[in-house]
Amino acid sequence: MKYLRVVMALAVAFVLCSAFTMKKDKDKEKPVYAFGVAASFSDTVVYYTPVQLLDSVVLDKNGFLPQRDLYSYQLKNHLEYQMNKPNYTCVIYFSENKGKLEKEAVKVKSGYQKSKQTLQAIEPDEFKFEKPQD
């Protein structure tokens, strides 16, 4: 009887400990998508990227993209050094839901079109976001 109590106590302890270490569904890796927009106060052309899948990226516990500033710098560097377009301000939009992000892209682009700015796409073969080095 004494051994049965010890075994049951160990079994309960094991179940409790393993319940707290199990991954929850929300902790699973989900794909993260992003697109970028670059605008300048001295130019009417607004550059944008299509929605892209970010490779090996997981949002942090607050739902933010880790190192998101480095993604915007990638776009800014591409504009400055590859396209010779300095002084652009770059913004990155990201989400785990591709459909919602595509709707956001349409909304952002229509806002620039309403303000009479010219939209210029940056093709995926010209520029692709890459995961920053840790």
Side-chain angles (χ1 to χ4, degrees):
M1 193 67 157
K2 195 181 230 184
Y3 293 114
L4 182 60
R5 286 184 185 169
V6 172
V7 170
M8 290 301 285
L10 287 174
V12 168
F14 177 74
V15 169
L16 287 176
C17 290
S18 64
F20 290 114
T21 60
M22 289 175 41
K23 270 191 154 184
K24 295 181 175 96
D25 287 341
K26 68 179 184 176
D27 293 337
K28 288 184 181 177
E29 291 185 17
K30 295 180 182 176
V32 178
Y33 300 92
F35 75 94
V37 177
S40 175
F41 294 110
S42 62
D43 194 358
T44 60
V45 179
V46 175
Y47 294 95
Y48 68 94
T49 67
V51 174
Q52 301 176 9
L53 175 66
L54 298 179
D55 188 35
S56 304
V57 176
V58 178
L59 299 183
D60 65 13
K61 65 182 178 180
N62 297 319
F64 286 107
L65 180 67
Q67 300 175 324
R68 58 191 171 278
D69 57 334
L70 299 179
Y71 287 100
S72 62
Y73 284 130
Q74 288 178 20
L75 181 57
K76 183 171 182 62
N77 289 337
H78 175 75
L79 287 168
E80 286 182 2
Y81 299 115
Q82 305 301 323
M83 299 177 69
N84 199 22
K85 300 289 182 184
N87 303 322
Y88 271 78
T89 302
C90 300
V91 180
I92 300 300
Y93 294 83
F94 60 90
S95 177
E96 292 177 333
N97 187 324
K98 187 176 182 181
K100 285 183 181 179
L101 191 62
E102 288 173 341
K103 286 180 184 178
E104 183 70 22
V106 169
K107 184 178 170 183
V108 169
K109 290 188 279 188
S110 68
Y112 282 116
Q113 287 174 333
K114 286 180 184 176
S115 63
K116 307 283 188 220
Q117 294 186 324
T118 306
L119 292 174
Q120 177 69 41
I122 300 174
E123 297 302 323
D125 57 337
E126 293 177 36
F127 174 77
K128 182 162 175 45
F129 291 110
E130 296 178 6
K131 185 177 180 183
Q133 300 295 327
D134 291 329

